Amino acid sequence: MTRDWDAATYDRIADPMTRWGSAVLDRLPLAGDERVLDAGCGSGRVTEQLLDRLPDGAVVALDGSPAMIAEARRRLERFGDRVDYVVADLGAPLPIRDPVDAILSTATFHWVPDHDALFRNLAGVIRPGGRLVAQCGGVGNIATIQAILGSIGDGWLGPAHFETPDDTRERLEAVGFVDVETWLHPEPTPLEPGEPLETFLATVVLGAHLARLAPAERAPFVHEVARHMPRPEIDYVRLNIVATKAGPGLADRA
């Protein structure tokens, strides 16, 4: 969560993540006056859709990347003081004073090393009865690319980790969430070969790898990964999460 991002490029190429995020947002029931935490808001493309559904509400736009928060500020400027911007690590206690009514998160949790801490921190800022709706990379995500990474360079697979539905459900229940649903679904994502594929890889998938390399080694590394891919398609697998924070009348349903 501490690595910064090329937020402008991410915003330009994030159509797949935005598409998934729109579907996740559809699972979050809203009356329109809630205060919602977007946990990992990125450049704000899904946050913008969330705000459109909250005409009388507000959003806490949180991300670990200062560059992403700066990009989100530009995109969401028209919403004025209905957005609070927070740069914070989801793996640490969150600097959010008043409990939020709901939490939305897309394409973020797999970057947080400690999921026990992650869910404990989220549980600490959501009111009883509040809904958590999220999606991230799940077990099997980018398996083809990880196999390539294991066979080139020093074999490092990167900092992301992809959890199972069962382990995720157990972690959520352990910190006080009930009515927990977790499931996987595949999202194979074809990309245009050549520069578009390599830009996507460099920006979204391989950023942490490139940060370990000298500048002159980065483009060749990305090209090598792309060259080994059997087709210009990323085998994404998404882990979906729906849960409710326990409260009066809910605690016995965990």
Side-chain angles (χ1 to χ4, degrees), residues 7 12 15 21 41 63 69 90 92 107 109 120 139 172 179 184 196 204 219 222:
R12 176 172 59 83
D15 284 355
C41 66
D63 203 278
I69 289 292
L90 288 168
F109 289 172
R120 184 170 60 248
V139 63
L172 286 161
D179 297 336
L184 297 171
V204 179
V222 174

Side-chain angles (χ1 to χ4, degrees), residues 18-50:
T18 304
R19 183 177 69 252
W20 307 335
S22 298
V24 176
L25 177 56
D26 285 341
R27 299 180 192 137
L28 180 61
L30 294 168
D33 60 352
E34 295 90 347
R35 181 168 175 262
V36 180
L37 168 63
D38 188 347
C41 66
S43 62
R45 291 178 62 172
V46 178
T47 322
E48 185 174 35
Q49 297 177 33
L50 173 61

Side-chain angles (χ1 to χ4, degrees), residues 57-104:
V59 166
V60 179
L62 180 150
D63 203 278
S65 163
M68 287 290 206
I69 289 292
E71 192 70 24
R73 281 183 181 274
R74 285 189 284 272
R75 174 175 290 277
L76 305 175
E77 183 179 9
R78 66 186 173 95
F79 295 101
D81 61 5
R82 292 206 294 120
V83 188
D84 291 328
Y85 301 93
V86 178
V87 177
D89 182 350
L90 288 168
L94 301 179
I96 297 174
R97 179 179 301 175
D98 298 320
V100 297
D101 300 305
I103 298 173
L104 176 74

Side-chain angles (χ1 to χ4, degrees), residues 16-222:
M17 287 73 79
T18 304
R19 183 177 69 252
W20 307 335
S22 298
V24 176
L25 177 56
D26 285 341
R27 299 180 192 137
L28 180 61
L30 294 168
D33 60 352
E34 295 90 347
R35 181 168 175 262
V36 180
L37 168 63
D38 188 347
C41 66
S43 62
R45 291 178 62 172
V46 178
T47 322
E48 185 174 35
Q49 297 177 33
L50 173 61
L51 281 157
D52 284 336
R53 301 186 188 198
L54 295 168
D56 300 310
V59 166
V60 179
L62 180 150
D63 203 278
S65 163
M68 287 290 206
I69 289 292
E71 192 70 24
R73 281 183 181 274
R74 285 189 284 272
R75 174 175 290 277
L76 305 175
E77 183 179 9
R78 66 186 173 95
F79 295 101
D81 61 5
R82 292 206 294 120
V83 188
D84 291 328
Y85 301 93
V86 178
V87 177
D89 182 350
L90 288 168
L94 301 179
I96 297 174
R97 179 179 301 175
D98 298 320
V100 297
D101 300 305
I103 298 173
L104 176 74
S105 184
T106 61
T108 297
F109 289 172
H110 51 269
W111 297 113
V112 183
D114 185 345
H115 276 204
D116 293 308
L118 164 68
F119 294 130
R120 184 170 60 248
N121 296 332
L122 294 178
V125 299
I126 187 171
R127 65 168 180 80
R131 184 72 64 90
L132 165 65
V133 177
Q135 185 185 93
C136 60
V139 63
N141 194 57
I142 64 168
T144 298
I145 292 175
Q146 288 205 308
I148 295 168
L149 291 170
S151 67
I152 65 174
D154 63 4
W156 187 57
L157 298 184
H161 64 110
F162 308 117
E163 296 288 347
T164 68
D166 288 346
D167 287 346
T168 299
R169 183 175 59 254
E170 290 176 5
R171 288 187 172 103
L172 286 161
E173 291 174 346
V175 296
F177 285 94
V178 297
D179 297 336
V180 179
E181 299 177 55
T182 55
W183 72 97
L184 297 171
H185 81 269
E187 279 284 355
T189 302
L191 296 164
E192 185 179 343
E195 189 276 334
L197 171 63
E198 294 189 18
T199 296
F200 191 95
L201 289 173
T203 306
V204 179
V205 181
L206 301 177
H209 292 79
L210 302 186
R212 302 168 78 232
L213 300 175
E217 299 174 331
R218 293 172 184 172
F221 182 83
V222 174

